[in-house]
Amino acid sequence: PCLEDPCHTTVERLLAHVNGAVKLGPGKVVADLGAAYGGTARLFARSHGCRVHCIEISEKENEDNARVTEAEKMQDLIAIHPESFCETSLPNASVDAVYSIDSLLHAGPKRGDVFAEVARILKPGGAFVYADIMQADLLPEEGMPLLTRVLERLKLIRLGTVASDRVLAAQHGLVAEAFHDHSTNVAAHYGTIRQRLMEKRSQFSDAFVERMSAGLEAWVAASKGGMLVWGFTVMRKPN
């Protein structure tokens, strides 16, 4: 999440981190976990000529991705896989890099399966770069009600943490190299969305505005209360 241009700025930062970890270019193969409509994948392919495997379980998003990819004549560089990123059809050691933006949290208790799958499909020396909203490693007791509001909306018991992700990574042979912290952007991002919602509230029902506003306020409060962490994690599969 970024204040000025959430999608574009986040994707540009992600691209820079992936390219820094694994020099992208024609011939490189990348996997996008939770590819959604494929915008990030097309940017990677367009910018560096690499082939991107879009892993996405949503039928609607895959259909839209296929339509835009065909319209932009990028079928040779974009492959769409309608499947879970916890268990993909990609061959062992077949990709140079794996990336994901704000998708891993949806794995819930199967988060460890994601790391196992990443370790399986990465080539030796390949990198895993992701951004994901996580809970802080140390949670202030007074802030627990704030985190609970967020977890209830996500229908989760807990989120991942920087420390627990490093443990999961190590269990599957991945090495954590860096965490680039941008946690302050969470409150700014959701606060801006709420502001825009209130400016356009006449276009929506009162019930919708109240429900969305309460959810956005929960994210802002949890972030300001030090309960949430967000940034870019870089991991690697050793040679």
Side-chain angles (χ1 to χ4, degrees), residues 26 41 48 55-56 59 68 111 125 146 166 171 177 184 194 198 205 223 225 228 235:
H48 294 283
I55 311 299
E56 175 57 56
E59 182 178 354
V68 176
R111 194 176 182 94
L146 302 176
R166 287 174 176 166
Q171 289 174 349
E177 291 191 344
T184 56
R194 183 182 181 280
M198 303 312 288
S205 68
S223 176
L228 299 177
M235 296 183 174

Side-chain angles (χ1 to χ4, degrees), residues 15-37:
L15 180 58
H17 285 304
V18 174
N19 194 38
V22 178
K23 190 64 176 176
L24 296 172
K28 293 291 186 181
V29 181
V30 182
D32 182 338
L33 305 187
Y37 300 102

Side-chain angles (χ1 to χ4, degrees), residues 14-175:
L14 177 75
L15 180 58
H17 285 304
V18 174
N19 194 38
V22 178
K23 190 64 176 176
L24 296 172
K28 293 291 186 181
V29 181
V30 182
D32 182 338
L33 305 187
Y37 300 102
T40 303
R42 287 188 294 276
L43 176 63
F44 270 60
R46 191 183 304 113
S47 300
H48 294 283
C50 51
R51 180 168 175 77
V52 185
H53 292 282
C54 295
I55 311 299
E56 175 57 56
I57 202 167
S58 167
E59 182 178 354
K60 172 66 167 60
E61 292 178 0
N62 284 330
E63 289 174 352
D64 287 351
N65 186 0
R67 176 178 51 79
V68 176
T69 296
E70 183 176 358
E72 296 187 7
K73 295 181 172 53
M74 299 185 69
Q75 302 97 311
D76 290 344
L77 293 176
I78 303 293
I80 300 171
H81 302 264
E83 56 197 18
S84 166
F85 50 62
C86 293
E87 187 176 1
T88 77
S89 59
L90 299 179
N92 294 345
S94 59
V95 302
D96 299 285
V98 178
Y99 68 82
S100 182
I101 298 179
D102 296 337
S103 293
L104 299 194
L105 64 93
H106 298 296
K110 292 185 176 181
R111 194 176 182 94
D113 293 350
V114 180
F115 287 89
E117 186 64 5
V118 169
R120 183 186 71 80
I121 65 176
L122 269 180
K123 297 176 182 178
F128 179 31
V129 182
Y130 63 94
D132 201 45
I133 294 181
M134 298 181 281
Q135 63 189 53
D137 286 309
L138 299 176
L139 297 171
E141 185 174 347
E142 64 273 14
M144 288 305 298
L146 302 176
L147 180 61
T148 298
R149 288 175 61 195
V150 169
L151 294 174
E152 287 176 346
R153 300 192 69 84
L154 294 171
K155 295 181 172 55
L156 293 174
I157 298 174
R158 70 186 305 277
L159 297 172
T161 71
V162 173
S164 64
D165 275 5
R166 287 174 176 166
V167 171
L168 291 173
Q171 289 174 349
H172 298 289
L174 299 174
V175 178

Side-chain angles (χ1 to χ4, degrees), residues 1-10 13 185 188-189 192-193 196:
C2 300
L3 178 58
E4 296 180 358
D5 187 348
C7 293
H8 182 73
T9 306
T10 298
R13 285 176 175 168
N185 287 355
H189 172 67
T192 299
I193 293 177
R196 292 172 181 169

